[in-house]
Amino acid sequence: MQLNKYSKRVTQDPTQPAAQAMLYGVGLSEEDLKNPQIGIASTGYDGNPCNMHLNKLASQIKEEVNKLNQVGLIFNTIGVSDGISMGTSGMNYSLPSRDIIADSMEVVMNAQSYDGMIAIVGCDKNMPGSIIAMLRLNRPSLMVYGGTIASGRYKGQKLNIVSAFEALGQKLSGAISEEDYKEIIKNAIPGAGACGGMYTANTMASSIEAMGFALPYNSSIPAENPFKELESERIAAAIKNLLELDLKPLDIITKKSLENAVTLVNALGGSTNAVLHYLAIAYAAGIEFTLEDFQRVSDRTPLIADLKPSGEYLMEDVHGVGGTPAVMKYLLEKGYLYGDCMTVTGKTLAENLANVKPLSFEEDQQVIHPTEKALKASGNIQILYGNLATEGAVAKISGNEGNLFKGKAVVFDGEDQANAGIGAGKVSKGDIVVIRYVGPKGGPGMPEMLKPTSMIMGAGLGKSVALITDGRFSGGTHGFVVGHITPEAQNGGAIALIYNDDIIEIDALKRTINVLISDEELERRKALWTAPELKHKKGILYKYAKTVASASEGCVTDKY
């Protein structure tokens, strides 16, 4: 086997005896030093169900890698549990963790001169972080998703992480008892795996498989399914094949493969966070991919999956009807995917799917619908513009929310203020909740607004209240919501100029979002506005606020 010519391995350089001595010190043999070294990047840590099993998976993969005359070397990077940090100041660190993960993988792989990388990932930001790193490194690599969690259960009802958040709103509104509230919390998360609906983790895992960076079925095999551990042999063989072919990430990613990813996001009803992440992935790859590309792909892609948060089913149910490859095979046959895109198997997408068992629509399965019975004719990701979002905003419209919302603004400067206001009954039917100064710079870190949207849902206002923000949403959010409003409030965007009782109109058909006041009045308010000080004066959140690009540019941190 030839080593990847791009890694410039110091351990084979006779002028670098210290490097060789160090690796002898960790137990490698002279023969090992002739073999390719594979960095196995684990995002495993104990404090999160999404990631708690990943270090074990990394050890199993290392064992299989070593059997094939490769040298597996495990290293770890950070992670943030969105489920634990949600609704707290800890959520400010979630999106920045994506770029820290990318940076740390890049650092280790380049500093150690490893020949290839296997990234083992779980919670939301792990996946785009690892893909960004692969594209920067451009050496043979693939991603391994730890898998989705099994559903919880209480009183015969399936539960997931969003059940826990919505239970709080139900308790506050008197819809459920304190005892039921506690039991829902205790039973929502039964073990290892990422949050079970088509939330951000499953959205990114399945679409990255569609983009060609993960092995077939990897995204849909649940975390505690026996087949997950059996993947280790396939993964070891795949990285060896990539090295032999010298097939690298920039050989795999193209604008068409990005479109395949975004197609799957829309077909499955995926998370709005995919917009941020694929903008950042495209930037890392040097491919022009904009908000207009998201809208174009959404326009031509039907929503065919009835998955939570807007639907009924979970990722474990997708596995039950044939997994992500069965869905992709159907979309390919219907002309929605490009089959000629290369993948980490060394084969094209069409070749990977050739022998996949097709989806069956005759067994009364309701998880995936045929296109002629699509839940919505176009995708759920919609890009809006208007005087409130001159550089764009992102809405998630499943079809259940309606297409037009017009109401008076109830303005909150931050999530804590919003949560307190919603809990105190300050939001009524017909209102549009505005949460601002929670953007990439103003947050900082663009925290997710799952807690306020869940409180609205739990209080029974989900179909009668809209919410807009310069922050972002969890993949678990549903309802009439618009996020990623750009320019953000911290930069003087119009969302900073809204007053209580202003009338806002959101039109999902026209794809517009406007506050119904004159341009002259907006200019008058802008002249009175001053930017608040950044919330942090030092540390990672200060550095993030000073370097982060806008949401419409993917919140990358290496552009300016």
Side-chain angles (χ1 to χ4, degrees), residues 38-313:
I38 309 300
I40 301 175
S42 173
T43 58
Y45 60 101
D46 290 347
N48 182 13
C50 309
N51 296 64
M52 62 192 252
H53 59 306
L54 300 185
N55 286 337
K56 179 183 176 183
L57 189 57
S59 295
Q60 292 167 339
I61 292 171
K62 174 180 176 177
E63 185 177 333
E64 296 300 328
V65 164
N66 290 347
K67 288 179 183 178
L68 299 180
N69 295 319
Q70 306 171 102
V71 179
L73 295 162
I74 297 173
F75 66 94
N76 285 77
T77 186
I78 66 154
V80 169
S81 170
D82 287 8
I84 292 173
S85 63
M86 195 73 68
T88 76
S89 60
M91 175 47 68
N92 295 88
Y93 292 88
S94 172
L95 186 58
S97 77
R98 179 195 73 185
D99 296 77
I100 296 170
I101 289 164
D103 293 348
S104 61
M105 288 183 178
E106 178 189 355
V107 165
V108 174
M109 288 291 298
N110 275 333
Q112 303 302 116
S113 302
Y114 293 152
D115 301 292
M117 183 170 80
I118 300 170
I120 306 169
V121 294
C123 197
D124 301 4
K125 311 310 173 294
N126 301 178
M127 283 158 280
S130 71
I131 299 298
I132 291 167
M134 291 175 192
L135 293 166
R136 292 178 187 171
L137 293 162
N138 198 33
R139 62 193 64 173
S141 305
L142 73 155
M143 191 192 82
V144 180
Y145 178 47
T148 187
I149 198 170
S151 54
R153 190 166 290 275
Y154 176 63
K155 287 188 173 179
Q157 181 182 0
K158 271 189 174 185
L159 301 175
N160 64 90
I161 185 63
V162 177
S163 307
F165 283 101
E166 293 184 357
L168 176 60
Q170 292 168 334
K171 184 185 80 165
L172 292 173
S173 67
I176 61 173
S177 67
E178 178 72 21
E179 180 185 356
D180 283 340
Y181 169 70
K182 287 184 177 180
E183 290 303 313
I184 289 170
I185 302 301
K186 290 178 182 177
N187 290 282
I189 305 296
C195 299
M198 192 45 60
Y199 311 144
T200 305
N202 285 321
T203 296
M204 293 308 298
S206 55
S207 57
I208 286 169
E209 183 178 320
M211 192 170 67
F213 280 72
L215 295 180
Y217 296 99
N218 174 251
S219 66
S220 50
I221 299 173
E224 296 185 321
N225 187 291
F227 286 109
K228 181 57 72 176
E229 292 189 3
L230 294 177
E231 282 191 301
S232 298
E233 291 184 25
R234 287 202 302 147
I235 293 158
I239 194 67
K240 181 175 183 179
N241 185 50
L242 286 169
L243 283 161
E244 291 175 340
L245 295 173
D246 196 25
L247 183 61
K248 302 176 294 295
L250 292 179
D251 301 323
I252 294 172
I253 194 168
T254 63
K255 188 157 188 173
K256 290 200 299 184
S257 69
L258 281 164
E259 289 192 18
N260 281 348
V262 175
T263 296
L264 203 70
V265 170
N266 281 282
L268 296 180
S271 167
T272 52
N273 282 315
V275 178
L276 286 177
H277 298 325
Y278 280 110
L279 288 171
I281 286 167
Y283 174 74
I287 296 171
E288 185 177 351
F289 202 83
T290 67
L291 292 177
E292 284 66 38
D293 291 303
F294 281 92
Q295 188 63 61
R296 176 173 52 81
V297 175
S298 179
D299 286 345
R300 65 169 173 81
T301 307
L303 172 61
I304 60 173
D306 189 20
L307 300 173
K308 288 183 180 296
S310 298
E312 291 296 319
Y313 297 98

